[in-house]
């Protein structure tokens, strides 16, 4: 099992979950969450038990402990290299842990797995911390729950303590209406308690059901009291935190250039949702606001060459313009952004806009540049060079084809921020929600200052803008002083705080988080250092920042991209390792072992903590496999004729060929060709797409990674680990640096084989092979270059004679009403030996399979990796 949307345990029916408890303590907008579970292997045989927890990507894991039959494993955060070295010295057998970073809605997964004997008792406990970010006037705390079964002791507690006082608090769930009254909220002036404690009967889907209905999210929303616009200063444990969220201010006028990607990849739902969102956003503009629209594909167009006021006439005209956009062509991000900046510069120079106003560019794109300047670093430099200090750039990346890291860098470097938009039915709402966060600027150029020699190591205290409904947070260390008062100064207003009063109050609170200020300062500092590192221009600067991050993370026990959680037994003879990945697109590690079907013919690489020992089983070559490998050679096995037929496809790099299309079962398999490094006719498959339409699940396999998406969530895995992923009827089984098997509803399997070449090879490139067993079950509607042969054609072979090459016989083949001259030869099956391959003797069809495949090969070229084939 594998977690995709929530927090859950993964096991068979003979596992007993005695308790599952979640507790969050939120003090002054900083949360410490603990997830505990107690499990028993009540089966008669040894088995694996997995504990998987989805946590917010903004959170840092701080600890994990595990007790297995009285042996306690305790976690500690160390520099990644140190942790890996210690782990290598004493790897735990039959146990594993890891952090899998995904592209689902701002979540990542901590997971651990233990293989235990019958009767074993296991207790898990995970800790993580996070700062609450204020958006649209509320702080949001979410907990994802999916126990997977009925649990005798299931309880969630959220304790909130806000010294300034709680203005509002509410809780909701996605489990169903029947649970609304089971979430209890009690609150006083400065405290709140949210509890969810359903009985076993209340957890059931129905009165006589044995399945749990507890599957989804509990969300807590709250806000605090604010006495004035001066801000709130809190001091505790030698650290201070300053919160600034003024209200009762009139919004500043704004100038916005919307830069919208209208390339071919935006066609369909993406464009429809973008247009829907833009119409709502345009309605939000006032007569005091100025705006324009730049849309781009390989060309750049402007709805208006200059900024215009947000009058009803202009807004109506802009709506008509965007409604008539027809996506097509490439992506010229560089020229589009430069044109937008020029528009703002011209409006400023000509004094068209109010000097008090806020000027911003909002970029909406779903892909990397393909036209004009395509080097991301060059685009970043070009935009930074022309952007003025008073301008900001906000980037919205739709879907997962866009380089989100680039969008984030270019936004941060130009006083803005980035957000990923998930390309599904509510993408329009996501776009509108983002716009709502930046649509009401209240202040510009805010600086938070403190008395000289009173504080040290202060986090960011200069802010370009403040938007309504948000909050600015500054933290630092309080220096020793004879005075018990600390003073801050912001926009002319002073705020004082007693340096001892809050600690005394926290000591009285049973459920407060007493170390919040110290941890919040470290949290903010590390987050800001990670952002600084992404913008660092030299390796020396990056190394210095990395070292500071590691020092702080180890001191405050945060698992970051540069530290790891080492979990070890008391005597240090067994260790588990959990890394957080450096690349947010990729998971760091994998922890599950699987048994591949016999036709795969490969030995799984050991997963974390497991050692494969003993003699390897002899594997025999199966008969019933269709494949396409190398450059690209197709081998079609005809079981009734006991014959293999081969053909090549001589297409062009970039073309996407349909291999299997079954509209009856909703499965399609496509492969995109790449060329060799030098110009010649050799092409290979560089990317394979498998799409299951009923669940909207797409699996993209490239030579770099394996990605699964269901339209809202995206999960990416490198080839560097062995793992198994499940969602609904889809199972993805990855063997480290070898192959991946995609199984759909236990009826269709596709194996993709990875071929690596020497990176400096002057010609060859990494590529993929595809292997599809004949036993797959299709509907009568199946087609495709391989799929069409699931209905085996009648083949008659005669007049076998010596050919021009004495080593290769020739013959006449009658198939599908055609007479073909065929040549006896061989191609390679690389499942057993990826370097040399095994010979498969076959009859070769010339001219790209003409006469053997239906129609011409060009009719199998499809527009994208999730396309179904539509043959005339």
């Amino acid at each position: 099992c594998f977690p995709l949307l929530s927090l859950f345990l993964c096991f068979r029916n003979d596992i007993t979950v005695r308790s599952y408890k979640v507790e969050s303590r939120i003090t002054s907008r900083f949360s410490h969450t603990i997830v505990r579970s107690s499990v028993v292997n009540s089966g008669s045989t040894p088995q694996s038990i997995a504990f998987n927890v989805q946590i917010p990507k903004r959170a840092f894991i701080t600890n994990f402990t595990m007790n297995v039959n009285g042996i306690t494993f305790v976690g500690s955060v160390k520099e990644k290299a140190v942790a890996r070295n210690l782990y290598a010295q004493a790897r735990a057998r039959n146990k594993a842990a890891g952090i899998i970073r995904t592209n689902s809605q701002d979540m990542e997964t901590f997971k651990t797995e233990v293989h235990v004997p019958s009767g074993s008792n296991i207790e898990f406990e995970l800790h993580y911390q996070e700062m609450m970010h204020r958006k649209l006037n509320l702080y949001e705390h979410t907990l994802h729950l999916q126990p997977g079964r009925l649990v005798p002791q299931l309880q969630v507690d959220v304790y909130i303590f806000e010294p300034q006082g709680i203005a509002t608090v509410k809780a909701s769930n996605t489990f169903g209406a029947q649970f609304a009254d089971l979430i209890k909220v009690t609150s006083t002036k400065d405290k709140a308690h949210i509890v969810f404690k359903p009985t076993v009967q209340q957890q059931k889907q129905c009165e006589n059901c044995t399945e749990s209905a507890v599957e989804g999210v509990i969300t807590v929303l709250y806000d605090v009291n604010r006495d004035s616009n001066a801000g709130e200063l809190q001091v505790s444990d030698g650290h201070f935190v300053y919160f600034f969220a003024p209200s009762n201010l009139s919004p500043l006028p704004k100038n916005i250039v919307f830069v919208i990607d209208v390339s071919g990849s935006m066609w369909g739902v993406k464009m429809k949702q973008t247009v829907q969102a833009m119409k709502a956003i345009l309605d939000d503009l006032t007569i005091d606001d100025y705006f324009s629209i730049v849309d781009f594909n390989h060309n750049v167009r402007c709805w208006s060459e200059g900024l215009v006021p947000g009058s009803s006439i202009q807004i109506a005209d802009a709506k008509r313009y965007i409604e008539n956009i027809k996506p097509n062509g490439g992506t010229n991000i560089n020229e589009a952004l430069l044109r937008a900046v020029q528009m703002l510069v011209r409006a400023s120079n000509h004094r068209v806009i109010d000097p008090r106003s806020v000027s911003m560019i909002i970029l909406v794109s779903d892909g990397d540049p393909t036209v004009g300047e395509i080097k991301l670093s060059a685009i970043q430099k070009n935009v930074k060079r022309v952007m003025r200090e008073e301008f900001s750039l906000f980037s919205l990346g739709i879907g997962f084809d866009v380089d989100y890291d680039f969008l984030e860098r270019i936004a941060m470097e130009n006083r803005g921020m980035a957000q990923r938009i998930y390309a599904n039915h509510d993408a329009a709402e996501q776009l509108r929600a983002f716009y709502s966060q930046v649509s009401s600027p209240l202040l510009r150029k805010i600086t938070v200052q403190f008395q000289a020699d009173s504080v040290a190591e202060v986090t960011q205290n200069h802010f370009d803008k403040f938007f309504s409904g948000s909050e600015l947070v500054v933290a630092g260390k309080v220096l020793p002083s004879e005075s018990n008062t600390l003073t801050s100064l912001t926009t002319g207003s002073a705020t004082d705080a007693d340096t001892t009063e809050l600690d005394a109050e926290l000591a009285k609170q049973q459920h407060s988080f007493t170390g919040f200020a110290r941890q919040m300062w470290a949290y903010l500092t590390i987050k800001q250092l990670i952002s600084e590192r992404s913008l660092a221009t030299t390796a020396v600067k990056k190394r210095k920042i990395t070292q500071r991050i590691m020092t702080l993370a180890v001191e405050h026990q945060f698992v970051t991209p540069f530290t790891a959680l080492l979990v070890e037994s008391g005597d240090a003879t067994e260790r588990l390792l959990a890394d957080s990945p450096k690349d947010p697109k990729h998971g760091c590690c994998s922890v599950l072992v699987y048994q591949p079907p016999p036709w795969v013919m490969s030995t799984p690489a050991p997963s974390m903590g497991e050692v494969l020992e003993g003699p390897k089983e002899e594997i025999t070559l199966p008969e019933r496999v269709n494949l396409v490998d190398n450059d690209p050679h197709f081998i079609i096995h005809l079981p009734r004729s006991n014959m293999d037929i081969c053909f090549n496809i001589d297409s062009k790099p970039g073309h996407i060929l349909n291999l299997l299309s079954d509209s009856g079962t909703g499965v399609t398999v496509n492969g995109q060709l790449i060329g060799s490094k030098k110009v010649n006719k050799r092409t290979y498959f560089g990317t394979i797409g498998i799409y299951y339409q009923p669940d909207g699940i797409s699996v993209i396999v490239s030579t770099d990674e394996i990605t699964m998406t269901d339209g809202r969530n995206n999960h990416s895995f490198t080839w560097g680990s062995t793992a198994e992923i499940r969602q609904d009827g889809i199972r993805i089984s990855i063997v480290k640096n070898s192959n991946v098997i995609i199984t759909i509803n236990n009826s269709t399997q596709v194996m993709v084989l990875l071929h690596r070449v020497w990176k400096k090879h002057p010609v060859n490139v990494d590529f993929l092979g595809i292997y599809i067993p004949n036993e797959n079950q299709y509907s009568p509607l199946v087609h495709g270059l391989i799929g069409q042969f699931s209905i085996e054609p009648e083949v008659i072979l005669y007049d076998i004679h010596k050919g021009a090459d004495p080593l290769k016989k020739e013959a006449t083949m009658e198939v599908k009403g055609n007479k073909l001259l065929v040549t006896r030869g061989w191609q390679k099956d690389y499942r057993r030996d990826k370097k040399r391959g095994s010979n498969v003797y076959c009859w070769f069809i010339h001219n790209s399979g003409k006469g053997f495949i239906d129609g011409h090969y060009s009719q199998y070229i499809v527009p994208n990796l999730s396309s179904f084939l539509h043959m005339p």
Side-chain angles (χ1 to χ4, degrees):
C1 299
F2 191 82
L4 292 176
L5 294 173
S6 40
L7 172 159
F8 69 99
L9 290 163
C10 173
F11 34 62
R12 301 190 328 225
N13 289 330
D14 48 3
I15 295 292
T16 301
V17 186
R18 294 189 301 193
S19 68
Y20 201 97
K21 298 182 179 181
V22 181
E23 179 184 292
S24 287
R25 298 186 179 192
I26 304 173
T27 299
S28 296
R29 291 78 137 179
F30 198 76
S31 70
H32 183 120
T33 300
I34 307 171
V35 183
R36 300 182 179 95
S37 185
S38 178
V39 184
V40 178
N41 177 6
S42 49
S44 59
T45 59
Q47 59 183 305
S48 292
I49 299 174
F51 172 73
N52 307 328
V53 182
Q54 283 221 337
I55 67 173
K57 282 185 179 175
R58 289 180 177 273
F60 286 139
I61 289 173
T62 57
N63 203 357
F64 172 71
T65 60
M66 178 173 65
N67 187 294
V68 183
N69 294 327
I71 300 174
T72 300
F73 290 76
V74 180
S76 61
V77 177
K78 300 182 183 298
E79 291 185 14
K80 190 162 283 192
V82 173
R84 285 176 173 171
N85 287 336
L86 289 169
Y87 169 65
Q89 295 170 19
R91 296 187 181 196
R93 294 178 59 82
N94 299 319
K95 304 175 186 71
I99 301 165
I100 307 298
R101 177 150 294 179
T102 70
N103 283 329
S104 62
Q105 289 278 59
D106 301 321
M107 302 301 290
E108 67 184 13
T109 302
F110 172 86
K111 64 192 277 90
T112 188
E113 181 182 352
V114 293
H115 191 79
V116 293
S118 172
S120 295
N121 292 275
I122 308 98
E123 294 180 353
F124 302 101
E125 183 172 304
L126 178 72
H127 297 239
Y128 63 88
Q129 296 177 0
E130 178 193 18
M131 188 180 90
M132 303 290 98
H133 291 260
R134 189 169 185 256
K135 293 181 180 179
L136 304 178
N137 300 302
L138 291 169
Y139 305 99
E140 180 179 284
H141 183 61
T142 58
L143 298 169
H144 291 237
L145 301 176
Q146 188 181 354
R149 65 192 56 221
L150 303 174
V151 182
Q153 298 180 48
L154 174 61
Q155 184 166 342
V156 176
D157 290 283
V158 178
Y159 299 96
I160 303 173
F161 174 59
E162 290 289 350
Q164 194 79 357
I166 297 174
T168 180
V169 60
K170 55 187 176 181
S172 62
N173 75 88
T174 61
F175 309 146
Q178 71 271 31
F179 290 97
D181 295 333
L182 298 182
I183 300 180
K184 307 295 184 182
V185 179
T186 58
S187 62
T188 60
K189 176 187 173 184
D190 53 9
K191 291 190 287 291
H193 179 208
I194 298 89
V195 62
F196 176 61
K197 190 179 180 181
T199 64
V200 170
Q201 186 62 36
Q202 290 169 333
Q203 295 171 41
K204 292 181 177 181
Q205 290 183 2
C206 63
E207 187 175 351
N208 298 318
C209 292
T210 57
E211 294 81 23
S212 174
V214 179
E215 179 178 346
V217 180
I218 290 178
T219 301
V220 177
L221 297 170
Y222 78 95
D223 200 15
V224 302
N225 293 321
R226 292 175 176 82
D227 295 335
S228 69
N229 287 333
E232 176 187 351
L233 183 61
Q234 298 182 8
V235 181
S236 173
D237 194 20
H239 293 74
F240 75 86
V241 184
Y242 176 76
F243 303 98
F244 184 62
S247 55
N248 303 321
L249 298 176
S250 298
L252 298 172
K254 56 185 178 291
N255 318 300
I256 308 179
V257 181
F258 299 99
V259 181
I260 304 173
D261 183 346
V262 297
S263 60
S265 57
M266 285 286 288
W267 185 87
V269 174
K270 292 179 184 176
M271 197 69 238
K272 182 180 178 181
Q273 296 278 336
T274 300
V275 170
Q276 184 182 334
M278 278 299 302
K279 289 166 70 175
I281 289 169
L282 290 170
D283 281 335
D284 184 69
L285 297 174
T286 70
I287 193 66
D288 294 324
D289 298 325
Y290 280 74
F291 78 104
S292 189
I293 299 169
V294 174
D295 62 292
F296 69 96
N297 46 27
H298 48 283
N299 296 315
V300 177
R301 292 167 298 277
C302 301
W303 163 68
S304 169
E305 290 297 330
L307 296 182
V308 299
S311 67
S312 57
I313 294 175
Q314 299 287 13
I315 288 170
D317 188 57
K319 285 183 180 179
R320 286 192 293 271
Y321 180 81
I322 62 172
E323 285 174 343
N324 291 320
I325 288 174
K326 298 292 186 292
N328 67 85
T331 308
N332 191 345
I333 293 177
N334 184 70
E335 188 179 341
L337 287 175
L338 296 184
R339 187 80 63 88
V341 176
Q342 289 168 5
M343 204 175 284
L344 289 176
V345 169
R346 193 162 54 244
S348 180
N349 289 346
H350 294 167
R351 302 184 185 279
V352 172
I353 56 180
D354 189 326
R356 300 179 303 109
S357 62
V358 171
S359 297
M360 63 182 82
I361 296 168
I362 297 181
L363 168 67
V364 180
S365 180
D366 78 329
D368 291 342
T370 61
V371 178
E373 179 58 72
I374 61 174
K375 191 176 180 182
L376 299 181
S377 59
I379 297 173
Q380 197 173 328
K381 288 178 182 176
N382 292 343
V383 173
K384 186 179 181 182
R385 186 179 65 251
V386 297
M387 282 284 281
R388 290 186 176 178
E389 280 293 318
E390 63 267 29
F391 301 163
S392 296
L393 171 62
F394 298 89
S395 304
L396 298 172
I398 300 181
F400 299 98
D401 295 328
V402 67
D403 189 323
Y404 184 72
D405 290 344
F406 162 70
L407 293 184
E408 199 167 40
R409 285 195 306 272
I410 200 170
M412 286 193 302
E413 197 169 46
N414 293 287
R415 298 159 295 283
M417 59 182 176
Q419 183 168 313
R420 190 187 295 280
I421 302 298
Y422 296 84
N424 57 14
H425 63 279
D426 73 344
E429 181 55 39
Q430 295 174 59
L431 287 164
R432 287 197 297 268
F434 177 86
Y435 175 76
S436 297
Q437 295 176 50
V438 300
S439 62
S440 295
L442 300 182
L443 292 171
R444 292 176 52 189
K445 304 298 180 186
I446 307 103
T447 299
V448 181
Q449 297 175 311
F450 298 87
Q451 297 165 304
D453 301 323
S454 64
V455 297
E457 298 186 51
V458 178
T459 61
Q460 177 187 352
N461 64 331
H462 298 281
F463 301 92
D464 189 66
K465 296 174 184 67
F466 172 75
F467 295 98
S468 177
S470 66
E471 184 172 64
L472 304 180
V473 183
V474 180
K477 294 182 177 180
V478 179
L479 295 176
S481 170
E482 294 180 2
S483 171
N484 285 341
T485 302
L486 178 65
T487 301
S488 66
L489 183 67
T490 309
T491 61
S493 299
T495 305
D496 294 333
D498 189 292
T499 58
T500 60
E501 184 179 352
L502 183 55
D503 281 337
E505 183 61 33
L506 288 171
K508 301 175 186 176
Q509 303 298 325
Q510 183 181 356
H511 298 291
S512 67
F513 176 27
T514 55
F516 86 92
R518 179 176 181 272
Q519 291 299 93
M520 187 180 281
W521 167 78
Y523 176 98
L524 278 171
T525 302
I526 291 172
K527 290 288 185 182
Q528 290 171 13
L529 287 170
I530 290 173
S531 296
E532 285 178 29
R533 187 184 182 279
S534 71
L535 298 176
T537 54
T538 66
V540 173
K541 287 181 180 177
K542 281 185 184 288
R543 280 197 297 270
K544 287 183 178 178
I545 296 171
T546 302
Q547 188 56 54
R548 191 171 174 215
I549 292 171
M550 289 192 296
T551 301
L552 274 175
V554 171
E555 181 183 349
H556 293 266
Q557 291 292 283
F558 286 148
V559 178
T560 71
F562 309 99
T563 52
L565 184 68
L566 187 73
V567 186
E568 54 187 341
S569 58
D571 57 4
T573 58
E574 288 192 281
R575 293 183 175 127
L576 294 81
L577 182 70
D579 280 359
S580 180
K582 286 188 179 180
D583 186 346
K585 296 179 186 175
H586 300 149
C588 66
C589 42
S590 55
V591 298
L592 295 177
V593 183
Y594 77 103
Q595 294 299 320
W599 59 270
V600 174
M601 296 198 311
S602 65
T603 304
S607 68
M608 291 178 61
E610 183 189 19
V611 180
L612 296 178
E613 297 177 338
K616 302 297 181 291
E617 197 175 318
E618 183 65 28
I619 303 170
T620 58
L621 179 69
E623 292 181 340
R624 299 185 176 181
V625 177
N626 301 310
L627 67 95
V628 50
D629 214 324
N630 214 312
D631 62 340
H633 303 311
F634 287 74
I635 304 177
I636 303 299
H637 179 71
L638 304 178
R640 283 193 290 119
S641 306
N642 193 24
M643 183 185 300
D644 290 294
I645 309 296
C646 301
F647 59 91
N648 298 343
I649 294 293
D650 298 321
S651 195
K652 297 178 181 178
H655 280 175
I656 300 173
L657 298 177
N658 179 262
L659 306 176
L660 191 155
S661 176
D662 188 357
S663 56
T665 60
V667 176
T668 187
V669 180
N670 297 299
Q672 186 166 31
L673 296 169
I674 55 173
S676 55
K677 293 176 183 175
K678 290 189 177 180
V679 179
N680 58 35
K681 291 186 176 181
R682 302 194 74 176
T683 55
Y684 309 84
F685 281 117
T687 307
I688 304 298
I690 298 99
Y691 179 57
Y692 182 50
Q693 191 177 47
D695 291 340
I697 295 176
S698 174
V699 180
I700 305 296
V701 182
S702 71
T703 55
D704 295 322
E705 64 183 359
I706 300 100
T707 302
M708 178 168 69
T709 179
D710 60 5
R712 185 179 186 87
N713 305 298
N714 180 280
H715 304 263
S716 297
F717 303 87
T718 67
W719 282 99
S721 302
T722 294
E724 180 162 318
I725 307 99
R726 295 173 186 256
Q727 181 175 3
D728 301 325
I730 308 295
R731 184 172 78 247
I732 303 174
S733 305
I734 306 168
V735 175
K736 180 179 178 180
N737 293 326
S738 177
N739 64 69
V740 57
I741 302 167
I742 297 91
T743 305
I744 302 171
N745 287 339
N746 293 321
S747 61
T748 303
Q749 288 187 316
V750 178
M751 185 183 86
V752 181
L753 191 68
L754 175 66
H755 293 272
R756 292 276 194 223
V757 300
W758 178 45
K759 288 186 178 180
K760 296 183 181 179
H761 195 287
V763 177
N764 293 344
V765 292
D766 294 348
F767 64 95
L768 304 171
I770 304 96
Y771 294 75
I772 302 177
N774 290 75
E775 290 81 358
N776 280 353
Q777 299 171 24
Y778 307 114
S779 80
L781 301 176
V782 67
H783 210 280
L785 286 168
I786 291 177
Q788 63 187 284
F789 297 105
S790 67
I791 303 170
E792 184 174 330
E794 184 179 350
V795 175
I796 301 173
L797 195 69
Y798 60 90
D799 188 24
I800 301 174
H801 58 272
K802 288 184 179 180
D805 184 340
L807 297 177
K808 297 181 178 179
K809 293 181 179 181
E810 294 181 348
T812 300
M813 177 183 291
E814 289 188 8
V815 59
K816 296 183 178 180
N818 302 309
K819 281 188 178 181
L820 309 175
L821 177 66
V822 295
T823 304
R824 188 65 171 169
W826 62 87
Q827 297 294 358
K828 298 286 189 179
D829 181 330
Y830 291 94
R831 286 172 294 166
R832 188 197 304 271
D833 185 342
K834 285 202 293 182
K835 288 186 178 180
R836 292 175 292 275
S838 303
N839 289 338
V840 176
Y841 291 91
C842 58
W843 289 101
F844 185 80
I845 310 291
H846 301 275
N847 300 320
S848 293
K850 185 177 180 181
F852 182 65
I853 64 173
D854 295 339
H856 190 265
Y857 84 84
S858 61
Q859 294 173 280
Y860 296 85
I861 297 173
V862 293
N864 58 63
L865 287 167
S866 60
S867 296
F868 284 82
L869 183 65
H870 301 286
M871 290 285 285

